[in-house]
Amino acid sequence: MNRVDISVIIPVYNADKYIEKAIKSSLIQKEVDEIIIIDDGSTDNSLKICLNICETENRIKIYYHKNHENLGRSASRNLGIKMATSKYIAFLDADDFYLPNRFTNDFKIFNKDNSVDGVYNAIGSFFYREFDNIEKEKLKLTTVSEKIKANELFDKMGPMGHYGYFSGIGLTVKKDSFLKCGFFNETLQVAEDTELWLRMALVLNLKSGIIDEPIALRGVHDTNVSFKRDDLYQINNLKMYFVLLEWMFQKKISFIRINKVWTKFWNQNLINNTSFWFRIKYWVVSLCKHPILLKSITTYKSFPILRLFK
């Protein structure tokens, strides 16, 4: 039987309205061995709240970046992973919280099959602001819509496929899995989680857990970046596909899947309406570095000079 111990990693940046709820939702989970809080240069009362709770709860460990810098959520999560001592890793953002028995079903799956690297589940939303019925319904459940074989997950989950996607707060994964898939990409401001989940889907044995009801709730409030900065996501989605592509070449992933990401990259160029010279640069650099892309129809369809005449 697998040892039941989890390190919950919580990056914190100016979340004094929510962090206590997040921490307490982790403390009630019997499987949680430690809660690793990474203060990412907060300027509000977040750190003070964490330190106060830490005085009465020895499962909480608090870390900082050098000189208390604000380095972003990727660097914070990566630091948390490196400092974790448990066999399993779970993530929680400072404005989200777990529901009771968050990990019970995950460990039924881990204990049944030792080859499983990670389990993903559905999450819901908790509104801290006004909302309409359309938004409430849209954010009611974030999930992979059906059970998918691990070797098909990359192709079927979003954004590669159309069967939805999972959130990081619904994922439990073995710590040693990061040796296979790498850490969060610290050059991405957003979409860094999507890029890592896609890498995981390519090289890990990920199983669906509870996908028809939430096991955690995402906090929705006025300062959520994910609901207000479409422009930021457009820029980083383009970069995400490119860095994912480079990683796939390094790992010698099949050309069929490389071609899917290559196509996504050029579709995102159209969405972003990138400049002619931007496209020329990436087209030439990619072909020089990876001549195998000449086998792709997308390479010819996306040739920037040809597109000038469309």
Side-chain angles (χ1 to χ4, degrees):
M1 180 176 288
N2 286 308
R3 189 165 55 112
V4 179
D5 62 325
I6 297 175
S7 296
V8 174
I9 296 170
I10 309 178
V12 182
Y13 176 71
N14 290 353
D16 57 5
K17 295 179 181 178
Y18 318 106
I19 183 59
E20 184 174 359
K21 190 180 186 76
I23 294 172
K24 288 184 175 180
S25 78
S26 302
L27 288 171
I28 66 171
Q29 314 295 332
K30 66 181 185 298
E31 300 88 352
V32 172
D33 187 60
E34 62 180 3
I35 299 168
I36 296 180
I37 295 171
I38 309 298
D39 181 69
D40 191 22
S42 295
T43 57
D44 64 358
N45 289 319
S46 296
L47 180 56
K48 181 179 180 181
I49 292 170
C50 294
L51 289 170
N52 285 341
I53 301 174
C54 189
E55 288 179 359
T56 58
E57 180 51 67
N58 60 14
R59 284 187 288 169
I60 299 175
K61 301 174 183 177
I62 302 175
Y63 299 96
Y64 323 88
H65 300 298
K66 186 178 180 181
N67 299 321
H68 290 261
E69 289 182 278
N70 171 237
L71 298 182
R73 54 194 185 187
S74 289
S76 298
R77 289 182 186 134
N78 287 343
L79 176 58
I81 294 167
K82 292 169 186 174
M83 301 308 297
T85 61
S86 302
K87 181 176 180 179
Y88 297 90
I89 298 287
F91 299 103
L92 187 63
D93 288 346
D95 52 357
D96 303 334
F97 57 94
Y98 293 140
L99 295 175
N101 303 310
R102 154 69 179 89
F103 298 104
T104 302
N105 188 65
D106 288 3
F107 278 96
K108 288 180 182 178
I109 296 172
F110 283 124
N111 289 329
K112 185 178 179 180
D113 185 354
N114 191 53
S115 72
V116 173
D117 295 306
V119 179
Y120 55 89
N121 304 275
I123 70 161
S125 296
F126 184 87
F127 286 84
Y128 289 100
R129 59 165 172 77
E130 296 294 322
F131 59 90
D132 57 37
N133 289 332
I134 294 175
E135 185 177 32
K136 182 180 179 182
E137 186 61 29
K138 179 181 178 182
L139 299 177
K140 182 179 179 181
L141 202 66
T142 298
T143 188
V144 174
S145 59
E146 64 179 52
K147 291 189 178 295
I148 299 172
K149 293 179 180 178
N151 62 357
E152 298 176 355
L153 183 60
F154 174 83
D155 303 295
K156 292 186 174 181
M157 68 183 281
M160 303 309 299
H162 305 287
Y163 289 83
Y165 56 92
F166 60 83
S167 166
I169 67 172
L171 174 70
T172 308
V173 65
K174 291 176 179 175
K175 182 182 177 181
D176 61 12
S177 296
F178 295 95
L179 299 175
K180 304 174 189 176
C181 64
F183 293 82
F184 289 95
N185 189 307
E186 297 181 17
T187 68
L188 296 170
Q189 288 181 273
V190 295
E192 79 293 339
D193 47 359
T194 300
E195 195 260 344
L196 180 56
W197 311 152
L198 288 171
R199 277 189 269 134
M200 284 186 172
L202 283 167
V203 297
L204 300 183
N205 181 13
L206 298 182
K207 295 290 186 181
S208 60
I210 299 171
I211 59 173
D212 56 353
E213 60 181 276
I215 52 82
L217 298 181
R218 171 176 54 180
V220 182
H221 47 82
D222 290 328
T223 56
N224 285 122
V225 172
S226 56
F227 300 114
K228 302 184 108 178
R229 293 294 307 275
D230 288 342
D231 59 327
L232 193 61
Y233 271 90
Q234 281 191 3
I235 294 168
N236 281 269
N237 280 340
L238 184 63
K239 189 174 183 180
M240 176 197 73
Y241 288 126
F242 193 76
V243 297
L244 175 61
L245 194 69
E246 290 300 306
W247 180 87
M248 291 172 75
F249 273 113
Q250 291 174 14
K251 292 295 183 179
K252 296 181 170 54
I253 303 298
S254 71
F255 179 74
I256 291 175
R257 285 175 163 171
I258 284 175
N259 189 43
K260 286 183 178 181
V261 177
W262 179 237
T263 302
K264 282 282 187 179
F265 172 75
W266 286 105
N267 288 343
Q268 191 68 47
N269 268 284
L270 295 178
I271 293 171
N272 291 19
N273 195 25
T274 53
S275 70
F276 170 78
W277 292 111
F278 180 94
R279 297 182 194 186
I280 278 287
K281 173 187 172 183
Y282 278 91
W283 196 92
V284 172
V285 168
S286 298
L287 267 293
C288 289
K289 195 171 182 180
H290 308 295
I292 194 174
L293 290 172
L294 288 168
K295 292 172 59 177
S296 171
I297 295 175
T298 297
T299 299
Y300 304 98
K301 287 183 176 180
S302 62
F303 184 47
I305 294 177
L306 291 179
R307 296 205 66 85
L308 284 177
F309 300 99
K310 291 192 177 184

